[in-house]
Amino acid sequence: VVQLAVQPDAVDDTDFQIDPTALDTFNILLNDVLNPISDFVITEISPLTGVTNLGNGTFSYQAGQEPGSASFFYEVCSQSCPLLCDMATVTITTRDASCSFIPNIFTPNGDGVNDWLEIPCLESGFFEANSLVIYNQWGDKVYEAAPYSNDESLAWRGTLDGEAGKDLPDGVYFYIFKPGPNEATVKGFIEIFR
């Protein structure tokens, strides 16, 4: 049986996520098309600090403390025909382990962009026991949720008690956000601007 080498198809990996300071391993070949798979060699094109090539498409990554994304390129080439190569990007996102940033404006005007209050750190999954209370300028409570969710169907859209059709007027509102039972309370303001 003779098997011809085929042009590899390296596909970008953009969904690797890791907790701050964690060490994790991942395989970049799971979404690539290689035929035959035993004929290919992988080379890092742009090395990234904290990434170690463990062989056979498996890499390890030691995350730092700061949230954010980091990327490196790799190339997959056929061993029997070195001209058959393809390149892809690997992006690793370090999750946000603190809840110190809450946006201070959103535009619930129904255009599909920035229509609800989104608290970025909630995507990390670290703050499931959170609570959020929002007050108007006279100190009246206009919204409360425990836990608060960024889910489109549950998030605050600038309405009284979260009820559709009870739009609050444009203006500045004040929030008290508690990320979790042992986390410091975050206070600030948010503006509704339709």
Side-chain angles (χ1 to χ4, degrees), residues 10-45:
V11 179
D12 291 343
D13 295 287
T14 58
D15 58 352
F16 293 126
Q17 295 193 9
I18 189 169
D19 295 334
T21 69
L23 175 66
D24 200 0
T25 59
F26 49 91
N27 190 322
I28 61 171
L29 298 180
L30 296 178
N31 62 344
D32 294 351
V33 179
L34 310 174
N35 189 15
I37 194 162
S38 60
D39 182 50
F40 292 93
V41 64
I42 300 141
T43 308
E44 273 182 84
I45 301 298

Side-chain angles (χ1 to χ4, degrees), residues 111-133:
D111 67 355
V113 178
N114 200 26
D115 277 339
W116 59 88
L117 174 62
E118 220 172 313
I119 302 174
C121 65
L122 296 183
E123 301 304 325
S124 70
F126 291 135
F127 307 103
E128 293 179 2
N130 71 72
S131 64
L132 174 70
V133 182

Side-chain angles (χ1 to χ4, degrees), residues 1 15 26 28-29 32 45 51 74-75 104 122 124 128 139 146-147 151 153 156-157 162 186 191:
V1 175
D15 58 352
F26 49 91
I28 61 171
L29 298 180
D32 294 351
I45 301 298
V51 171
Y74 70 94
E75 185 175 50
N104 61 6
L122 296 183
S124 70
E128 293 179 2
D151 182 278
S153 63
W156 186 51
R157 294 177 171 270
V186 180
E191 184 177 357

Side-chain angles (χ1 to χ4, degrees), residues 8-194:
D9 182 15
V11 179
D12 291 343
D13 295 287
T14 58
D15 58 352
F16 293 126
Q17 295 193 9
I18 189 169
D19 295 334
T21 69
L23 175 66
D24 200 0
T25 59
F26 49 91
N27 190 322
I28 61 171
L29 298 180
L30 296 178
N31 62 344
D32 294 351
V33 179
L34 310 174
N35 189 15
I37 194 162
S38 60
D39 182 50
F40 292 93
V41 64
I42 300 141
T43 308
E44 273 182 84
I45 301 298
S46 59
L48 177 64
T49 303
V51 171
T52 304
N53 186 345
L54 302 175
N56 295 328
T58 304
F59 287 78
S60 69
Y61 180 66
Q62 175 69 55
Q65 291 185 340
E66 297 299 316
S69 295
S71 298
F72 69 93
F73 294 98
Y74 70 94
E75 185 175 50
V76 178
C77 292
S78 169
Q79 289 180 349
S80 57
C81 184
L83 297 177
L84 296 176
C85 295
D86 197 16
M87 195 163 46
T89 304
V90 175
T91 302
I92 306 165
T93 302
T94 302
R95 297 181 187 104
D96 190 353
S98 70
C99 247
S100 57
F101 171 73
I102 296 177
N104 61 6
I105 189 169
F106 72 112
T107 59
N109 57 9
D111 67 355
V113 178
N114 200 26
D115 277 339
W116 59 88
L117 174 62
E118 220 172 313
I119 302 174
C121 65
L122 296 183
E123 301 304 325
S124 70
F126 291 135
F127 307 103
E128 293 179 2
N130 71 72
S131 64
L132 174 70
V133 182
I134 299 177
Y135 299 91
N136 65 15
Q137 61 186 340
W138 297 282
D140 300 321
K141 183 170 38 171
V142 295
Y143 180 80
E144 183 174 18
Y148 183 76
S149 172
N150 286 338
D151 182 278
E152 179 180 349
S153 63
L154 302 173
W156 186 51
R157 294 177 171 270
T159 58
L160 180 63
D161 295 324
E163 294 180 27
K166 292 187 175 181
D167 291 348
L168 292 167
D170 285 8
V172 175
Y173 295 81
F174 301 91
Y175 65 81
I176 299 174
F177 178 69
K178 183 104 173 126
N182 300 317
E183 301 289 331
T185 300
V186 180
K187 298 178 182 179
F189 70 91
I190 185 157
E191 184 177 357
I192 295 175
F193 183 75
R194 289 186 177 84

